[in-house]
Amino acid sequence: MTGNILAIDQGTTSSRAIVFDGDQKIAGLGKMEFTQHFPQDGWVEHVPEEIWATVLWSVKTALKRASLQAADIAAIGITNQRETTIVWDRATGKAIHNAIVWQDRRTAKLCEKLKKAGHEPMISRKTGLLLDPYFTATKLAWILDNVPGARKRAEKGELAFGTVDSYLIWRLTGGRSHATDITNASRTLLLNIRTGQWDDELLKLFRIPRAILPEVKDNADDFGTTDPEVLGAPIPIYGAAGDQQAATIGQACFTPGMLKSTYGTGCFALLNTGKDMVRSKNRLLTTIAYRIDGETTYALEGAIFIAGAAVQWLRDMLKAFEKSSDAGALAAKADPTQNVYLVPAFVGLGAPWWDSAARGSLTGLTRNTGPAELARAALESVSYQTRDLVDAMRRDWKGASDTVLRVDGGMVASDWTMQFLADILNTPVDRPTILETTALGAAWLAGYKAGVWPDQQGFARRWALDRQFTPRMDDETRKRKLKGWRDAVRRTLSTE
């Protein structure tokens, strides 16, 4: 059997597909951005049909650039933006509403109502998560309550719910498979992460009919086979994982104490805690890192809602530069005497603050502040937020004390940004040779299940370092900068 694996990486701002060959090297890549919709303040939506169209285009482009046909692919692995919520008609496959994106905050009042009613401790105990609009359950409830007739149709079994992985699996298999993986399921507020099953008490609380839910599977599992009419030949779908868990796998963080951080639209740091379900005392998330061959591995996670999106904001809204890749060079020209801080709470603040009412702020502006200082503030904000997460992890679990950070995602191509990250963390930062680690993780799951890629140990041995960034900043400068950041965050937090 061929060792070629197709990875579908459906992200928040773009869809991409990558063909990896038997040596886990990139043979072909296709990528297409799609439209972001902002119907109201704090609302973020995607059009499901546009997601599907960009995935198909990306897959066909990757195959073409790899000079391969669908029949040359051993298996497909899927990774996706997590928590984004889609409900579709089982008969037609058409969504009944736009996808409500993970960044969306429209259900903040419902979350506050449930908190005041005292439900959060039970939810956190079962799911490892906090009661926040970020997660899926309240988004799903909103669709069922606001689309005419949706709740009755859901109760009759006429509708299907899924995060983006489930939606793509359904479309790829021609509606024959309604499934999700354990990591995506663990982000819905509906799954008990100890039992790995949908939880009746949670379903009742959020008023979610069981008939609408997908089947929960391991990460390396049989998710169905593609309809031959979709890609030209049947291909088994053997891997699926939420994007941050896929990146953890792609970074070969299989050992407890290993830490990775992905810098895309948002930033997400996951710390492997092995079989230990570590309960955070610092408002981090306890989540499932992966479940392979029936064995569950847990993680502590810190979620930052805005990372690369802050750079996109400077590019698209303020026209500070033409390409996102220009931000690092521009930041390097900034006046070092200015202390400008951007707290990118455009859709609220994530861990460890969890303040959905907060909104972005710029502090320290002077008459001499220009695009270079804003670019530096945007890039630095990612490192400051990462420092907040790593500090919380170290307080929660002793295994995080001396870990090296493995990084991936679009932003890590900037040497300037990675050096500042190492400086502000005061810890080494390792950048791998393959930056597409999210897609690589999904590909490994499929390749492992198909029997054409190595096991965990064999895969980990192939992880290769591109560059290690080591701290250069002196302690006094680091302390001063962190003090300024924390003051800026304090000024940004809502008082509600």
Side-chain angles (χ1 to χ4, degrees):
M1 182 185 291
T2 171
N4 297 318
I5 301 293
L6 171 65
I8 296 172
D9 182 358
Q10 203 299 299
T12 307
T13 59
S14 67
S15 299
R16 66 179 65 201
I18 300 176
V19 175
F20 291 93
D21 65 20
D23 293 322
Q24 288 117 71
K25 292 188 170 128
I26 295 174
L29 185 151
K31 175 184 176 182
M32 180 178 282
E33 292 191 1
F34 55 89
T35 311
Q36 310 293 305
H37 298 271
F38 309 101
Q40 296 184 33
D41 177 40
W43 292 29
V44 189
E45 295 182 356
H46 295 155
V47 176
E49 285 298 325
E50 189 176 6
I51 289 175
W52 173 238
T54 58
V55 165
L56 273 184
W57 183 91
S58 299
V59 166
K60 291 175 181 178
T61 300
L63 287 170
K64 182 178 179 181
R65 289 174 178 169
S67 300
L68 297 173
Q69 303 293 324
D72 299 317
I73 301 298
I76 293 174
I78 296 174
T79 183
N80 58 286
Q81 51 168 313
R82 303 173 305 173
E83 297 96 16
T84 295
T85 305
I86 307 176
V87 177
W88 63 92
D89 187 312
R90 287 184 183 274
T92 66
K94 302 294 185 184
I96 66 170
H97 189 275
N98 278 352
I100 301 181
V101 179
W102 57 272
Q103 297 168 316
D104 191 281
R105 313 303 288 173
R106 76 185 65 189
T107 60
K109 287 184 179 178
L110 172 57
C111 289
E112 285 302 315
K113 180 181 176 182
L114 292 170
K115 280 183 189 177
K116 288 177 181 177
H119 294 297
E120 188 169 49
M122 179 273 291
I123 292 169
S124 293
R125 186 178 70 254
K126 291 191 172 191
T127 69
L129 309 176
L130 300 172
L131 189 44
D132 189 86
Y134 170 37
F135 304 108
T136 309
T138 56
K139 295 176 170 64
L140 174 54
W142 188 94
I143 292 175
L144 296 181
D145 287 337
N146 286 273
V147 175
R151 185 166 290 282
K152 286 186 178 179
R153 295 190 66 204
E155 290 169 352
K156 291 178 182 177
E158 296 176 4
L159 302 179
F161 148 75
T163 42
V164 174
D165 59 311
S166 294
Y167 176 71
L168 294 179
I169 290 167
W170 177 279
R171 296 296 295 262
L172 286 165
T173 62
R176 289 189 295 273
S177 178
H178 184 209
T180 189
D181 76 273
I182 190 72
T183 64
N184 275 295
S186 75
R187 312 294 295 190
T188 61
L189 289 176
L190 301 173
L191 186 99
N192 186 315
I193 62 170
R194 187 174 293 281
T195 66
Q197 303 293 323
W198 301 121
D199 187 275
D200 287 331
E201 186 177 7
L202 293 170
L203 293 175
K204 182 178 179 181
L205 176 65
F206 291 106
R207 299 179 303 120
I208 305 301
R210 184 175 279 273
I212 205 172
L213 300 175
E215 179 185 0
V216 181
K217 293 177 173 283
D218 280 9
N219 293 105
D221 212 326
D222 185 354
F223 292 89
T225 302
T226 63
D227 186 325
E229 294 185 5
V230 176
L231 298 176
I235 308 172
I237 304 169
Y238 277 167
D243 51 8
Q244 304 314 315
Q245 284 89 345
T248 302
I249 294 165
Q251 289 277 32
C253 291
F254 295 125
T255 304
M258 296 186 74
L259 172 67
K260 77 88 204 175
S261 191
T262 299
Y263 297 94
T265 302
C267 166
F268 302 86
L270 263 73
L271 174 71
N272 185 325
T273 62
K275 295 187 184 335
D276 292 341
M277 193 186 300
V278 178
R279 299 294 186 178
S280 176
K281 296 183 175 70
N282 296 282
R283 297 179 67 75
L284 298 177
L285 307 175
T286 305
T287 196
I288 293 176
Y290 47 84
R291 190 174 73 192
I292 298 171
D293 298 329
E295 294 288 328
T296 301
T297 296
Y298 294 96
L300 276 175
E301 177 177 333
I304 297 168
F305 297 152
I306 299 292
V311 177
Q312 290 179 319
W313 171 70
L314 286 177
R315 181 195 68 188
D316 298 340
M317 305 305 290
L318 300 190
K319 311 297 182 186
F321 37 78
E322 289 187 4
K323 303 189 301 293
S324 294
S325 57
D326 295 335
L330 183 60
K333 298 176 183 177
D335 178 359
T337 65
Q338 291 195 49
N339 297 305
V340 180
Y341 291 92
L342 169 64
V343 183
F346 301 138
V347 291
L349 283 172
W353 312 106
W354 295 106
D355 186 346
S356 64
R359 288 297 177 265
S361 68
L362 271 168
T363 63
L365 300 177
T366 71
R367 284 285 300 272
N368 201 34
T369 299
E373 288 71 35
L374 296 183
R376 185 184 68 182
L379 295 178
E380 288 182 347
S381 73
V382 177
S383 298
Y384 290 130
Q385 291 178 99
T386 305
R387 172 65 187 251
D388 291 341
L389 299 183
V390 172
D391 283 350
M393 288 175 174
R394 286 171 174 163
R395 291 193 297 270
D396 274 337
W397 195 59
K398 61 182 180 181
S401 57
D402 297 315
T403 189
V404 174
L405 177 64
R406 288 185 172 181
V407 296
D408 56 83
M411 294 187 76
V412 308
S414 166
D415 289 354
W416 188 95
T417 306
M418 292 301 98
Q419 183 58 54
F420 187 80
L421 178 62
D423 286 341
I424 214 67
L425 291 179
N426 196 25
T427 194
V429 171
D430 283 358
R431 182 173 67 192
T433 54
I434 295 181
L435 297 182
E436 299 284 358
T437 52
T438 304
L440 181 60
W444 178 78
L445 291 167
Y448 170 71
K449 173 68 177 176
V452 297
W453 279 25
D455 62 9
Q456 291 183 25
Q457 290 74 26
F459 179 67
R461 284 194 293 270
R462 293 193 179 187
W463 186 93
L465 177 69
D466 168 55
R467 178 175 171 183
Q468 181 174 83
F469 297 85
T470 55
R472 299 175 185 168
M473 186 179 289
D474 62 84
D475 289 342
E476 184 179 344
T477 301
R478 184 182 302 108
K479 288 177 182 177
R480 175 176 55 79
K481 285 182 171 291
L482 285 169
K483 182 179 178 181
W485 164 254
R486 286 158 187 162
D487 180 66
V489 171
R490 179 184 59 81
R491 294 169 185 268
T492 305
L493 294 171
S494 72
T495 55
E496 295 182 11

